[in-house]
Amino acid sequence: MNRSGAESDKRTAVEVTKDKNGIGQVVLRNPRGASARVSLHGGQVLSWRTEHDEELLFTSSKAIFKPPKAVRGGIPICFPQFGSRGLLEQHGFARNKIWVIDKNPPLLHPNDSNGKAYIDLLLKPSEEDMKVWPHSFEFRLRVSLAEDGYLTMISRIRNINCKPFSFSFAYRTYISISDISEVRVEGLETFDYLDNLCDKERFTEQGDALTFESEVDRVYLSSSDVIAVLDHERKRTFTIRREGLPDVGVWNPWEKTSKSIADFGDEEYKRMLCVDGAAVEKPITLRPGEEWTGRLELSVVPST
C-alpha cells in the first residue's frame, strides 16, 4: 500500500482495524501526525484530523453506524444518483454498501502515491443492486493523506456493461465549523445555481460571497475549480479543489429541517456545512469499457 522499504514505513502508516459493529476501517497517518479514517461501510471518510488532532469533518452525535443506513457526516459518496434526482433512493446506494480493499489497483499517476498514506477500495454491484440499477460497473476509490495533511479522494468508475449508462455523483463533504453564522464561502459568485428549496429553479448568485442566515440547499453549476470556506472564529480556511466535478452542492438544514432529521441533532446545523464536489446537472455517460475519474482535494490553512 506504501512504497517499499523501512524508509516509507516511518513516514506514513496504513492500519486496518474494525469498528464496534465489526466493519472494517482503515486509518491513514502521515509523519506529522495528521490522520484520516475510512470505513468500508460506504467507502466513507469518517474522520480527518490535523497534526494537532483537530477534527476537520463533522459527524452527527446521532449518526447511525450500522448498514444499511448511511452515516450522517464525514464524506459519504453519492452514486449513481445525487439527491432525489432519479428513481433510486436518496443519494443512490454506494454509501450504504460494504466496499472491499482493492489489493491490485490499476496504476495511478506517481504523484498520487509518492509520500502519501493511501488505501484503494473497490465496489462492484450485487445482484440486489442490479435489480434497482441494472448496470455492471467497477468503482475504484483511492483515499490518500499527504505529508502536508491534504486529503485527496479519487473515484474511477468503469462501465463493464455491454450498453451505455449514465449517473450523477457527489462527494458529500460535511465540514466542521465553529458557527454557521460566522462562515463564508468564496468562489461561487456570479455562477448559476439550482435551488432545491424552490423546485430546482435556476438563479444566479449575486453576492460576493455566500453567507448563511437560513436553510440553504443548492447546486452551483459549472463553478470555479477552487472553492474556499472561511471560518472566521476558528481562523481557518478550507480549500476544496475538484477535477471532473463541475458542480458544487451547498447544504445547511438550519433549525426547522434539523428537527425533522432523525439522525441529526436539533442544534447541530450550527456546527456543520456541506460543500460537495459534484456532477449533477449534466449526468456522466459512459459507453462500454469507458472510465470516468472524479477527484476531490481538501486542504486547510490558518487564516485571519
Side-chain angles (χ1 to χ4, degrees):
M1 285 173 213
N2 290 313
R3 290 178 300 169
S4 57
E7 172 76 6
S8 70
D9 292 348
K10 281 183 215 156
R11 301 167 53 120
T12 61
V14 179
E15 182 194 356
V16 181
T17 62
K18 288 194 168 163
D19 71 8
K20 62 179 188 291
N21 294 315
I23 295 164
Q25 289 199 344
V26 181
V27 181
L28 307 175
R29 287 193 181 84
N30 77 1
R32 296 182 193 171
S35 67
R37 191 158 40 90
V38 189
S39 176
L40 298 191
H41 172 198
Q44 183 165 345
V45 176
L46 294 176
S47 170
W48 173 37
R49 290 181 172 272
T50 67
E51 56 202 76
H52 307 298
D53 209 32
E54 274 183 287
E55 180 57 67
L56 299 168
L57 299 177
F58 165 88
T59 302
S60 172
S61 61
K62 294 189 170 182
I64 297 158
F65 290 88
K66 268 192 174 161
K69 182 81 179 148
V71 177
R72 173 76 61 189
I75 310 177
I77 291 170
C78 306
F79 169 84
Q81 176 181 302
F82 178 78
S84 55
R85 294 160 188 272
L87 303 173
L88 300 177
E89 61 191 287
Q90 172 93 351
H91 291 320
F93 51 71
R95 64 188 187 139
N96 303 334
K97 301 296 171 187
I98 299 295
W99 295 51
V100 296
I101 293 173
D102 191 357
K103 298 282 199 302
N104 297 302
L107 287 175
L108 277 164
H109 193 278
N111 286 355
D112 290 317
S113 316
N114 290 352
K116 296 180 178 178
Y118 64 86
I119 189 70
D120 289 290
L121 302 182
L122 176 64
L123 179 69
K124 292 182 178 180
S126 65
E127 281 180 27
E128 188 189 326
D129 301 334
M130 294 287 282
K131 283 178 193 158
V132 293
W133 200 66
H135 305 292
S136 289
F137 65 87
E138 288 177 340
F139 186 150
R140 287 187 155 83
L141 172 69
R142 172 169 291 190
V143 181
S144 66
L145 185 68
E147 229 165 310
D148 51 17
Y150 284 29
L151 181 72
T152 303
M153 299 177 74
I154 302 170
S155 288
R156 292 184 290 172
I157 296 168
R158 178 177 290 280
N159 181 351
I160 53 171
N161 232 9
C162 53
K163 58 183 192 287
F165 63 69
S166 300
F167 61 91
S168 54
F169 182 93
Y171 294 110
R172 190 81 163 147
T173 308
Y174 285 79
I175 294 171
S176 173
I177 55 172
S178 55
D179 181 349
I180 188 65
S181 308
E182 296 289 320
V183 164
R184 54 192 278 140
V185 181
E186 294 181 353
L188 298 172
E189 47 280 2
T190 74
F191 289 103
D192 284 4
Y193 63 87
L194 304 176
D195 194 332
N196 291 329
L197 303 177
C198 299
D199 287 338
K200 304 183 176 63
E201 201 180 324
R202 194 177 182 121
F203 298 94
T204 302
E205 182 54 59
Q206 304 292 341
D208 59 350
L210 184 60
T211 55
F212 301 87
E213 294 163 1
S214 60
E215 183 174 357
V216 171
D217 189 354
R218 298 173 181 173
V219 177
Y220 285 82
L221 307 172
S222 304
S223 54
S224 51
D225 293 339
V226 182
I227 304 295
V229 180
L230 287 72
D231 188 336
H232 299 295
E233 205 169 298
R234 283 206 182 127
K235 294 190 167 50
R236 70 184 181 200
T237 297
F238 287 88
T239 304
I240 300 163
R241 290 183 170 82
R242 314 175 326 281
E243 287 171 30
L245 299 162
D247 306 326
V248 174
V250 180
W251 179 63
N252 182 286
W254 219 256
E255 201 168 358
K256 189 178 166 198
T257 300
S258 294
K259 289 180 175 155
S260 69
I261 303 173
D263 58 348
F264 192 81
D266 290 358
E267 298 289 313
E268 288 187 325
Y269 73 91
K270 294 174 182 172
R271 301 196 308 280
M272 59 68 68
L273 176 64
C274 279
V275 182
D276 318 332
V280 176
E281 189 197 20
K282 296 175 181 137
I284 311 290
T285 299
L286 293 180
R287 293 195 296 272
E290 274 190 330
E291 185 176 86
W292 168 84
T293 301
R295 180 190 175 106
L296 183 76
E297 183 190 84
L298 301 171
S299 58
V300 67
V301 293
S303 57
T304 49

